[in-house]
Amino acid sequence: MTGQKILSGCTVLVTGATGGLGSAVAKGCAREGATVVLLSRTIPKLERVYDEIVAAGGPQPAIYPLDLAGASEKDYYDLATTLERELGALHGLVHCAAELGHLVPLSNLDGELWQRLLHVNLSAPFLMTRELLPLLIKSAPATVVFVGDSAVGAGKAYWGAYGVAKIALHGYTRILADEMESFGLKVHLFTPGPMRTPIRRMAYPSENPDTLTPPETPADSLLDLMSPSSTTAR
Ligand SMILES: NC(=O)c1ccc[n+]([C@@H]2O[C@H](COP(=O)([O-])OP(=O)(O)OC[C@H]3O[C@@H](n4cnc5c(N)ncnc54)[C@H](OP(=O)(O)O)[C@@H]3O)[C@@H](O)[C@H]2O)c1
């Protein structure tokens, strides 16, 4: 690594920080000098990523366990209040958490699963972002990244509520990006290709994982978007 670290002095919140892409992004942000807040639902996995960042010599991260399936508006308010009090700023928010459910035709999709997947994959990132916008704007230039999925396309069979949420996330990102441009806040939808992670394994159980890109490769491209000097893109 040569030159100045692009995220020195920055704070970044990564959701899904225990997953394939999220852990690679979190470790990459720390490698670039950021204090990273690691958010997902499983504490032992969060502690593992925490330990890896510390062992690599990164700034001491923070752990914020939260189950997005059950989180309320008050939980996001509390998250924003805690980050403001403990860190004072937020320069990056990366939404990597996602739940797939299982691939089924819409005609067979259970109503409770539909609601859960729309909540975790669409409503939760909306509510979290809305509560964190004041701190992000106060910390500008700042960046918010949502993650799309090209497998879903503009609408492909069997991707169910996960697919509907990803399509809606695309529209939401465009609207938010337009609204936030004048506040110094960059909003991106980052769409990685197929990656060797648990969610991919659930969607394609018979696929040879060795044929897939490790998540560190797209994570590096996502990190480029986090640089305070990167230009707005949608
Ligand atoms: N893998 C691919 O091929 C691929 C392709 C295109 C797009 N994507 C997108 O890339 C992003 C990252 O996916 P990935 O491949 O890294 O998936 P992954 O390895 O399965 O990670 C999913 C992450 O989401 C967290 N999560 C799931 N449900 C949660 C909940 N209810 N509350 C809090 N956290 C929750 C998990 O936390 P726990 O560990 O605590 O369960 C985990 O950290 C997703 O948006 C996905 O849609 C993936």
Side-chain angles (χ1 to χ4, degrees):
M1 183 77 50
T2 56
Q4 207 190 336
K5 296 184 175 191
I6 58 170
L7 296 174
S8 261
C10 292
T11 55
V12 177
L13 170 62
V14 181
T15 78
T18 53
L21 182 63
S23 62
V25 168
K27 288 185 253 182
C29 286
R31 198 175 59 235
E32 288 298 336
T35 298
V36 185
V37 181
L38 308 166
L39 186 148
S40 83
R41 60 189 162 179
T42 316
I43 293 173
K45 289 202 236 169
L46 284 165
E47 288 172 342
R48 215 170 305 142
V49 180
Y50 178 104
D51 289 344
E52 285 169 7
I53 288 174
V54 172
Q60 184 178 19
I63 284 178
Y64 202 97
L66 189 65
D67 184 349
L68 301 180
S72 64
E73 297 199 36
K74 167 79 166 57
D75 290 315
Y76 297 115
Y77 172 81
D78 290 345
L79 170 67
T81 307
T82 304
L83 294 186
E84 169 118 50
R85 188 183 62 239
E86 299 295 328
L87 301 172
L90 186 65
H91 305 93
L93 171 59
V94 187
H95 292 279
C96 293
E99 271 186 45
L100 177 67
H102 34 259
L103 300 191
V104 287
L106 288 173
S107 54
N108 290 356
L109 185 59
D110 173 74
E112 265 182 40
L113 184 61
W114 165 268
Q115 288 189 1
R116 178 186 175 96
L117 296 179
L118 284 184
H119 188 75
V120 170
N121 295 312
L122 181 63
S123 300
F126 156 70
L127 290 169
M128 184 184 295
T129 304
R130 192 194 64 192
E131 287 306 313
L132 292 172
L133 279 177
L135 187 55
L136 286 158
I137 290 169
K138 190 176 119 181
S139 315
T143 308
V144 183
V145 181
F146 299 89
V147 179
D149 191 334
S150 58
V152 167
K156 278 204 190 143
Y158 312 128
W159 286 90
Y162 168 90
V164 172
K166 289 294 186 189
I167 292 165
L169 201 56
H170 190 189
Y172 163 77
T173 305
R174 292 180 71 88
I175 293 170
L176 186 68
D178 207 24
E179 291 177 359
M180 287 299 127
E181 207 168 357
S182 57
F183 291 96
L185 194 60
K186 292 172 293 168
V187 180
H188 300 276
L189 183 76
F190 176 77
T191 304
M195 299 176 287
R196 196 187 308 145
T197 72
I199 217 169
R200 177 75 188 184
R201 216 158 38 243
M202 283 182 74
Y204 297 92
S206 57
E207 183 176 60
N208 177 359
D210 293 340
T211 61
L212 296 172
T213 308
E216 286 72 17
T217 307
D220 282 346
S221 305
L222 193 154
L223 271 183
D224 290 341
L225 300 176
M226 305 296 294
S227 163
S229 60
S230 89
T231 52
T232 306
R234 281 184 258 155

